[in-house]
Amino acid sequence: MKELLRTKGFKVTPQRELIFRSFFELGRHVTVDELYQKVREKDNSIGYSTVWRNLKLICRVGLAEEVNIGDGLTRYDRTTAAPHGHLFCRRCKKLLEFNVERIVGILAQAARENSFTLEGFKVEIQGLCEDCRRVPDRECDQGKAN
Amino acid sequence: MKELLRTKGFKVTPQRELIFRSFFELGRHVTVDELYQKVREKDNSIGYSTVWRNLKLICRVGLAEEVNIGDGLTRYDRTTAAPHGHLFCRRCKKLLEFNVERIVGILAQAARENSFTLEGFKVEIQGLCEDCRRVPDRECDQGKAN
DNA sequence: GCGACAAATGAAAACGACTTTCATTTTCAA
DNA sequence: TTGAAAATGAAAGTCGTTTTCATTTGTCGC
Ligand SMILES: [Mn+2]
Ligand SMILES: [Mn+2]
Ligand SMILES: [Zn+2]
Ligand SMILES: [Zn+2]
């Protein structure tokens, strides 16, 4: 870890160590604020921007990548050996993962057919998770007239 | 059109008519600002918020849906008979479409396997379009140290 | 046609996640 | 040990989106 950082020319600070460690202790799909809160429990002098910058750094060194669902919050997802897709529950915002092996080939071909250099992809299912389906909707957040 | 609106209980105003018409005259994947500019050419007294609200309305009545790539700009995409995926060029921000017939079944199954009620999905390929691939990168937007 | 009244409009302000700035502190290679 | 480069924290800035609010307008029953 320290090695990886120093190798790539980054300095190792106490804040950085704590942030990196905390990131991997949290589950997957971490938001800046979640990590910020977690880190603060250990050292409440760490600034939000430091957490943010280190999350970016974690991505830069290839240990995570940004996930952008449509809800205006960037999540940071540890990189996995195999690529995966996301199931996003619109109600509780839970994020599950699923295998996309059978899809990557199709995507590669689609890129090829469009003379497109594929650098990455995103496969996402929106809907309701098992728990949220049980509870009837009540809200209807569509209903705002504006 | 007017019928659709009145049927669903919305009023038909001159602004609304112009905005709706202009939206369908523009191509696909329209941003609020693009439509705002277009509309202004015809009536420069129309406010940005009116355009924004009517774009939301167009979605509400099912004629379009929001597309959120990770670039912080919401685009509005006319609804198509068959669902489609997007090829997004990170350089010129162009957005191509491709067929996802062969993917929807896989997604439906993934949802099923996760006890997830599928309500929608998003399939997106990021990369470089044919034109942009030709021009070497020069920039390296990764390089910011912060 | 004539109100009544809810809905729509436009300008401006508010929002909020993200990003940058800057003065200061810290790391680390020489 | 020391100096240059990088990192930090607080604060301010950015920017697309969303809301507020006073005013205007469309629609419906009369
Ligand atoms: Mn994930
Ligand atoms: Mn499209
Ligand atoms: Zn849920
Ligand atoms: Zn391009």
Side-chain angles (χ1 to χ4, degrees), chain A residues 11 13 15-16 45 47 49-50 53-54 146:
Chain A
K11 295 181 175 172
T13 65
Q15 294 94 329
R16 180 158 288 170
S45 71
S49 44
T50 300
R53 281 185 285 234
N54 275 287
N146 253 289

Side-chain angles (χ1 to χ4, degrees), chain A residues 89-94 128-133:
Chain A
C89 176
R90 68 162 159 79
R91 175 77 80 74
C92 67
K93 316 302 186 200
K94 198 185 302 166
L128 277 182
C129 76
E130 189 163 17
D131 300 336
C132 290
R133 190 176 350 158

Side-chain angles (χ1 to χ4, degrees), chain A residues 84-87 96 98-100 103-104 107 121-125, chain B residues 103 107 121-126:
Chain A
H84 62 268
H86 289 127
L87 294 142
L96 303 179
F98 69 98
N99 187 286
V100 291
I103 293 178
V104 294
L107 295 181
F121 60 83
K122 187 193 293 184
V123 180
E124 183 190 314
I125 295 174
Chain B
I103 293 179
L107 294 180
F121 59 83
K122 186 193 294 185
V123 180
E124 184 189 314
I125 294 175
Q126 301 127 29

Side-chain angles (χ1 to χ4, degrees), chain A residues 116, chain B residues 89-94 127-133:
Chain A
F116 211 86
Chain B
C89 176
R90 67 161 157 80
R91 176 79 80 74
C92 68
K93 316 301 186 202
K94 200 185 301 164
L128 277 183
C129 76
E130 189 164 18
D131 301 335
C132 290
R133 190 178 348 156

